[in-house]
Amino acid sequence: MASAGHTVKGHCLCGAVAFSADVAKLEVDACHCSMCRRWAGGPFIALSCDGELRITGKDHLATYRSSEWGERSFCQTCGTSLFWHLVGSDHYALSANTLDDQSGLVLTSQIFIDEKPGFYEFANDTPKLTGVEVVAAFEASKGGES
């Protein structure tokens, strides 16, 4: 687990599902992959959490296994996209847009940049990783397991 530096809290639109977690940094990433854009209605901007994710309202939480290595959770009452989870790990990507306090968040990278459509561009100058680079990093973090 990453060393905790900040406690963040968030919830869905209707309030049926809420969560809190300890995160090491207030750095967010933007994912431009086609699945995230379809799921979140645009780039999925997320805060990394490595460790325990405390959830209330679990009976309203639905999870969809969207790939071999990832699953997405959302409120089944209002549909809010809440977090992405790396299967077989304690790594979560929490939707920055569901956080109660977004002050201090800084966009530090963009992933799946090769899938970003041409109709938008972020002004932030961040590192940009392709899908191949991201998948390789996930596989390395799982010890080569798929």
Side-chain angles (χ1 to χ4, degrees), residues 28-32 43 107-114 116 120-130 133-134:
V28 296
D29 305 313
C31 183
H32 301 285
L107 180 66
T108 58
S109 71
Q110 298 179 59
I111 61 174
F112 286 90
I113 195 67
D114 50 325
K116 184 187 79 56
Y120 69 83
E121 191 72 39
F122 290 164
N124 307 61
D125 185 20
T126 65
K128 297 172 175 76
L129 300 175
T130 66
E133 292 167 325
V134 173

Side-chain angles (χ1 to χ4, degrees), residues 40-140:
F44 184 59
I45 301 174
L47 178 67
S48 288
C49 169
D50 292 303
E52 181 186 6
L53 181 60
R54 299 171 294 275
I55 303 168
T56 59
K58 287 183 182 180
D59 52 327
H60 296 278
L61 188 68
T63 300
Y64 172 68
R65 181 81 177 251
S66 58
S67 70
E68 183 178 323
W69 41 273
E71 57 189 15
R72 300 160 190 278
S73 293
F74 56 95
C75 175
Q76 59 185 339
T77 302
C78 67
T80 300
S81 302
L82 294 166
F83 52 86
W84 179 90
H85 176 236
L86 180 60
V87 173
S89 78
D90 64 355
H91 177 77
Y92 296 86
L94 310 175
S95 172
N97 291 308
T98 63
L99 298 179
D100 297 340
D101 181 2
Q102 298 172 1
S103 63
L105 296 179
V106 178
L107 180 66
T108 58
S109 71
Q110 298 179 59
I111 61 174
F112 286 90
I113 195 67
D114 50 325
E115 293 187 32
K116 184 187 79 56
F119 65 84
Y120 69 83
E121 191 72 39
F122 290 164
N124 307 61
D125 185 20
T126 65
K128 297 172 175 76
L129 300 175
T130 66
V132 169
E133 292 167 325
V134 173
V135 171
F138 285 149
E139 288 176 351

Side-chain angles (χ1 to χ4, degrees), residues 8-58:
V8 296
K9 296 178 181 182
H11 65 276
C12 65
L13 181 63
C14 71
V17 181
F19 63 87
S20 67
D22 298 321
V23 299
K25 299 177 182 176
L26 294 176
E27 297 176 348
V28 296
D29 305 313
C31 183
H32 301 285
C33 82
S34 60
M35 282 191 281
C36 278
R37 287 184 291 109
R38 188 170 300 272
W39 177 56
F44 184 59
I45 301 174
L47 178 67
S48 288
C49 169
D50 292 303
E52 181 186 6
L53 181 60
R54 299 171 294 275
I55 303 168
T56 59
K58 287 183 182 180

